[in-house]
Amino acid sequence: MKRLFIFLLFIAGLYIAKPLWEEPVSKYIDLSFLDSVEDKVDQTFTKETMSETMSSIRTTMDKLFSFLTSKTAEVEQFIPKKVDKPSLSAPDHSAFSIHNIEIGSTEEQVKSELGEPQSHSMNEYGTEWFTYHENYQNFVMISFDEKWKVNAIYTNDDLISSKSGVQYGTPKPEVREALGEPLKEIRKGLNVFVFQENEGMDLFKLGDLYAYVFYDLHEQDTVTAIQLVTTTLEHKKVGMYAEGDVSLRNGFEQQLFDLTNAARVRHGRSILQWDDTISVTARKHSMDMAINDYFAHDNLKGQSPFDRMKEDHISFRKAGENLAYGQSSSIFAHEGLMNSKGHRDNILIKDYSHLGIGVAFNEKSQPYYTENFYLK
């Protein structure tokens, strides 16, 4: 009898608190069956027997607990457990090291420190980014030269070590005090590329390497990422844009997907799953913009991103789209999106479950990037 009293007390508490949990739960399961239970509760001692009422309540509880259990498992599946940050040492041979890897490190040293790469993809320098991470934590991308020595490194994680004291989270004024005035322009052959003050990035020439230092405008202009490139590799890329072929398109799509997930995990969000169908939707929009020379969420037919998703038979409960145009790489596109509040908010929405990336190039090899997010 005591058990029955406690159970009924619990049910009463749950019923009283119904206004607090009914709306969020109703987004995922049909709660219409509760109407009949409420009727039974109201009529328990007049028209229904205690046995019938208890049976209905148990059914309700089974459905509710089943829902809560499945949603908890879903969250645990996609939000990775936090992994330890590696111990970082000061660089031996250059101004910076990332995850204890420097420009000039050998493939054997990289494997010893980082293990095997999770993926590799073509980049704008004509080499490949080899991507290393642990569920998108301790995220690093590395390029090798023909002798399998590191000629470029990138990270947007707290893995930066330097002789100057510059690291992840260092404010821009302190970076400039430590490294000197950033370059205003870079000359490659007959081409001169001029940098704007408000680009969210500084470029420094440090001996035989270039250091691209990216800042988070939403975190008081502090270091959020760094890309190190040898002078030899940088000057092999003579134009602003690399030739836009299929390999580079696929590379940019893969890299932007990885960068987005790395940013989400760093901000406590879930890992998004790649979706082939919506990637095709995204790529078609990028191609349409590149071919018809426009840049907008609504296409020339007046279709919104959601119209295009529905046209491709994609069912969603929530969806969003980010666009970028003209950035010379996925790294620059991603860092730019993270410094734009609306795009940043879209990247960090908790509810999304899937992501598709589509890239296309116009006749000048300028890339168009489309990110389509959605919750199935």
Side-chain angles (χ1 to χ4, degrees):
M1 188 68 182
K2 184 178 179 181
R3 283 184 179 179
L4 177 61
F5 175 76
I6 293 174
F7 183 72
L8 289 174
L9 191 63
F10 174 73
I11 294 300
L14 191 64
Y15 181 77
I16 292 171
K18 180 183 174 185
L20 300 178
W21 55 260
E22 182 178 25
E23 182 177 351
V25 172
S26 65
K27 294 179 181 178
Y28 299 97
I29 59 175
D30 182 7
L31 295 179
S32 59
F33 63 87
L34 289 176
D35 296 338
S36 61
V37 174
E38 290 176 5
D39 291 341
K40 286 181 168 56
V41 171
D42 293 338
Q43 303 171 13
T44 297
F45 301 104
T46 57
K47 295 183 180 180
E48 301 289 336
T49 66
M50 178 66 75
S51 175
E52 291 174 330
T53 302
M54 292 299 293
S55 177
S56 296
I57 291 174
R58 286 193 183 98
T59 300
T60 302
M61 293 300 296
D62 286 344
K63 290 185 177 182
L64 183 58
F65 281 121
S66 175
F67 161 75
L68 293 174
T69 301
S70 67
K71 296 312 291 181
T72 300
E74 180 180 321
V75 171
E76 290 177 348
Q77 181 181 358
F78 296 112
I79 297 182
K81 294 181 180 178
K82 188 174 179 60
V83 301
D84 293 333
K85 173 186 169 182
S87 297
L88 301 178
S89 302
D92 293 325
H93 308 293
S94 59
F96 284 94
S97 66
I98 294 174
H99 206 309
N100 300 319
I101 301 298
E102 300 180 51
I103 293 291
S105 294
T106 65
E107 182 189 17
E108 290 74 20
Q109 290 172 319
V110 171
K111 283 185 177 180
S112 176
E113 180 71 22
L114 302 177
E116 295 295 331
Q118 298 290 333
S119 63
H120 59 92
S121 54
M122 183 64 66
N123 63 34
E124 68 277 15
Y125 291 105
T127 63
E128 289 188 302
W129 282 125
F130 289 81
T131 304
Y132 304 82
H133 59 84
E134 302 169 72
N135 285 325
Y136 289 102
Q137 298 169 80
N138 296 331
F139 184 87
V140 183
M141 300 200 304
I142 291 179
S143 165
F144 297 95
D145 64 19
E146 62 277 0
K147 295 181 180 179
W148 287 96
K149 289 187 176 182
V150 174
N151 60 4
I153 321 174
Y154 167 88
T155 188
N156 60 0
D157 216 333
D158 186 7
L159 302 170
I160 304 166
S161 180
S162 68
K163 295 176 180 178
S164 63
V166 173
Q167 58 186 340
Y168 186 92
T170 300
K172 181 193 284 188
E174 293 183 23
V175 173
R176 292 182 171 184
E177 183 178 351
L179 302 181
E181 281 298 309
L183 298 178
K184 303 298 184 184
E185 61 183 38
I186 184 171
R187 182 181 297 274
K188 296 183 178 183
L190 299 177
N191 298 312
V192 177
F193 304 101
V194 180
F195 302 109
Q196 303 300 317
E197 175 64 26
N198 60 351
E199 285 190 281
M201 179 275 296
D202 279 338
L203 176 62
F204 300 92
K205 179 71 165 57
L206 305 173
D208 60 353
L209 66 83
Y210 287 99
Y212 292 88
V213 180
F214 298 93
Y215 302 104
D216 190 334
L217 304 184
H218 301 281
E219 294 292 339
Q220 300 180 320
D221 263 7
T222 53
V223 175
T224 189
I226 189 168
Q227 178 178 297
L228 308 174
V229 185
T230 65
T231 54
T232 300
L233 183 61
E234 184 66 55
H235 285 279
K236 280 184 178 179
K237 180 174 173 283
V238 295
M240 179 69 175
Y241 302 105
E243 184 178 350
D245 57 16
V246 173
S247 295
L248 188 59
R249 179 200 69 188
N250 294 341
F252 279 179
E253 291 175 354
Q254 176 69 54
Q255 292 150 27
L256 191 51
F257 176 78
D258 289 338
L259 290 163
T260 301
N261 268 327
R264 283 179 61 85
V265 170
R266 194 171 67 251
H267 287 83
R269 305 298 192 261
S270 62
I271 295 174
L272 301 179
Q273 299 179 58
W274 178 270
D275 187 280
D276 285 327
T277 304
I278 206 167
S279 295
V280 172
T281 304
R283 187 182 292 169
K284 286 191 298 185
H285 187 54
S286 289
M287 290 176 63
D288 188 40
M289 290 188 293
I291 292 170
N292 293 296
D293 192 25
Y294 74 96
F295 182 67
H297 289 288
D298 287 359
N299 64 22
L300 300 182
K301 298 178 182 178
Q303 291 178 312
S304 71
F306 315 109
D307 295 329
R308 295 191 293 273
M309 293 176 196
K310 291 176 182 177
E311 186 176 66
D312 289 342
H313 309 291
I314 297 168
S315 299
F316 56 87
R317 286 180 281 169
K318 178 180 288 189
E321 181 178 83
N322 280 348
L323 301 179
Y325 158 67
Q327 291 86 350
S328 60
S329 73
S330 285
I331 289 174
F332 279 87
H334 172 72
E335 298 299 339
L337 290 169
M338 286 297 290
N339 274 332
S340 168
K341 187 178 186 310
H343 296 102
R344 180 193 187 96
D345 290 346
N346 215 14
I347 288 170
L348 299 180
I349 285 177
K350 292 182 178 180
D351 294 343
Y352 291 144
S353 59
H354 291 75
L355 170 62
I357 307 288
V359 174
F361 304 91
N362 65 14
E363 59 184 9
K364 298 177 182 178
S365 287
Q366 297 170 320
Y368 289 75
Y369 307 85
T370 301
E371 297 179 320
N372 282 158
F373 304 85
Y374 78 112
L375 172 65
K376 279 192 174 182

